[in-house]
Amino acid sequence: MNWSWFFKLGSPKWFYQMAGRWQPWIWALTFIGLATGCVWGLAIAPADYYQGDLQRIMYIHVPAAYLSMFVYVVMAVAGAIGIIWRMKMAYYVSMSCSPIGAAFTFLALVTGSLWGKPTWGTYWVFDARLTSELILLFLYLGHMALFNAIEDRKNADRAAAVLAIVGIVNIPIIHFSVEWWNSLHQPASLSKLEKPSIDQSMLWPLLIMIVSFKLLFVSLLFPYVRNHTLWREKDSQWVQQEVEQ
Amino acid sequence: MKPQRKKRLIAVLATVMGVSIAAVLLMYAVGENANYFYSPSDIYAGKAQPGKTIKVGGLVVPGTVKRGENLLDVEFVIKDKSHQLTVLFSDVLPDLFKEGQGIVATGKLIDNERFVATSVLAKHDENYMPPEVKRALEQSGHPVKTDTATEY
């Protein structure tokens, strides 16, 4: 098998330039997706029979919660690639994931809380789902803190990657918490093998929002990785050339 | 793959395995303590002591909600698959409280059949649909809220 593409990804210069070229297109796609999803979800899709318009917070909450876990998996896998193949670029990607993932987690917690008050009657309870999602936020914050606490950058890379890999056990716990334990949070409507428990008229805008949030993640990741790359490679020739231009 | 990389790959996989095993053991140890509430079956089985503050959850059985003389006094029956429990409450119920809906109540057991609640939270289920679909479902003989009762 030809692995050259894999090692090409590992070149900071190549990644920096590739990300720079793709960035505007991905942003454009993200905006189109988010605009379509928001208009469809907030204005066109019908309100829920029971919750009324309150249910529309789902179009932000569900994608944010899904991305909070997805970004963590990307972060841990990138960290593992960094450790196994000693690939600088993988570490840069891993480090760039944590602020974005923390933002998605925070968004999921806040929107969920705002939905919880009128629906459940409380902003917050310590049930299995809510607690494990809160732990995810702490893992992201810990990942950033650990990296910044270690002076030597290479050690910091490795320590942060180990934390990311260890924390991955939390992901299945978050996902299955609503099945393994009695929780106040309702079970999954979408990510299950049977037919989704959401009517089609609401499912489509939700799926568009999920895809758009994934694009948003890439749109945010690219500038983060580019900045991180410039900072870490500041002594290399190509960066100095790039800066001069 | 180079032997060094293979070694590191194995180390990473072993770490994930080790942490997963630790997590599973931890979950066994925590066990039912991580449950947010007791079901009526748990209460029937005597898993909760009377007089201790606990949470119970279940579906409100349609037709059992009775208002007392005092405007706030309310009494209703919750159920899961096999058992029922009467809940007594005298405060404001959440907006989304209704018959057939899941609720979680905090309070104390008087005996194995009656529970005095100090707070009641509505538990939403995972079904989302527009009002027209709900009406259509009911007309074809699949009432929405009572149908999900079996899943508790």
Side-chain angles (χ1 to χ4, degrees), chain A residues 7 46-51 54-55 58 80 83-86 115 118-122 125-128 162 165-166 168-169 173 180-189 192 197-199 201-202, chain B residues 1 4-6 8-9 12 15-16 19-20 23 27 30-32 34-39 42 94-98 101 104 120-134 144-145:
Chain A
F7 291 101
D48 185 57
Y49 74 101
Y50 194 50
Q51 304 174 45
L54 187 60
Q55 162 266 335
M58 163 180 94
I83 285 183
I84 297 164
W85 280 275
R86 291 277 187 270
W115 177 85
T119 316
W120 297 333
T122 178
V125 293
F126 278 98
D127 80 343
V162 170
I165 293 166
V166 168
I168 195 109
V169 281
I173 294 178
W180 291 342
W181 298 291
N182 295 335
S183 60
L184 189 58
H185 194 285
Q186 62 269 32
S189 302
K192 55 184 186 182
S197 319
I198 302 179
D199 190 71
S201 56
M202 300 169 174
Chain B
M1 203 184 264
Q4 253 184 330
R5 283 180 191 153
K6 205 167 191 175
R8 291 196 291 253
L9 177 67
V12 167
T15 308
V16 173
V19 176
S20 306
M27 277 190 279
V30 171
E32 292 184 350
N35 280 335
Y36 187 64
F37 54 83
Y38 291 97
S39 66
D42 294 336
D95 283 355
L96 292 191
F97 177 93
K98 81 175 183 189
Q101 173 76 14
V104 176
V120 172
L121 300 180
K123 180 171 158 43
H124 190 257
D125 63 31
E126 72 274 33
N127 297 305
Y128 297 86
M129 64 189 95
E132 308 90 75
V133 176
K134 191 208 168 213
V144 176
K145 281 299 180 191

Side-chain angles (χ1 to χ4, degrees), chain A residues 123-220:
Chain A
Y123 285 111
W124 184 264
V125 293
F126 278 98
D127 80 343
R129 170 58 72 84
L130 276 60
T131 309
S132 54
E133 182 76 9
L134 185 64
I135 290 172
L136 183 71
L137 180 65
F138 294 154
L139 277 170
Y140 279 124
L141 299 180
H143 189 249
M144 288 186 267
L146 184 61
F147 177 81
N148 288 307
I150 299 171
E151 195 73 35
D152 181 61
R153 291 298 161 211
K154 280 190 173 168
N155 284 341
D157 274 336
R158 236 169 295 159
V162 170
L163 175 68
I165 293 166
V166 168
I168 195 109
V169 281
N170 194 30
I171 298 299
I173 294 178
I174 295 174
H175 182 79
F176 292 109
S177 56
V178 285
E179 289 174 27
W180 291 342
W181 298 291
N182 295 335
S183 60
L184 189 58
H185 194 285
Q186 62 269 32
S189 302
L190 200 60
S191 50
K192 55 184 186 182
L193 295 172
E194 307 123 65
K195 196 171 153 280
S197 319
I198 302 179
D199 190 71
Q200 284 224 333
S201 56
M202 300 169 174
L203 184 62
W204 281 111
L206 182 60
L207 290 177
I208 290 177
M209 283 306 275
I210 290 175
V211 172
S212 309
F213 264 61
K214 262 192 177 168
L215 286 168
L216 178 63
F217 164 54
V218 180
S219 307
L220 292 169

Side-chain angles (χ1 to χ4, degrees), chain A residues 10-67:
Chain A
S11 151
K13 187 185 173 190
W14 183 85
F15 195 101
Y16 180 86
Q17 288 169 346
M18 183 277 295
R21 274 197 307 276
W22 282 89
Q23 213 163 234
W25 301 105
I26 293 173
W27 269 113
L29 267 180
T30 307
F31 274 117
I32 295 170
L34 283 178
T36 317
C38 280
V39 171
W40 195 341
L42 299 182
I44 301 172
D48 185 57
Y49 74 101
Y50 194 50
Q51 304 174 45
D53 283 329
L54 187 60
Q55 162 266 335
R56 294 183 198 277
I57 210 161
M58 163 180 94
Y59 298 113
I60 304 291
H61 176 73
V62 174
Y66 171 66
L67 259 289

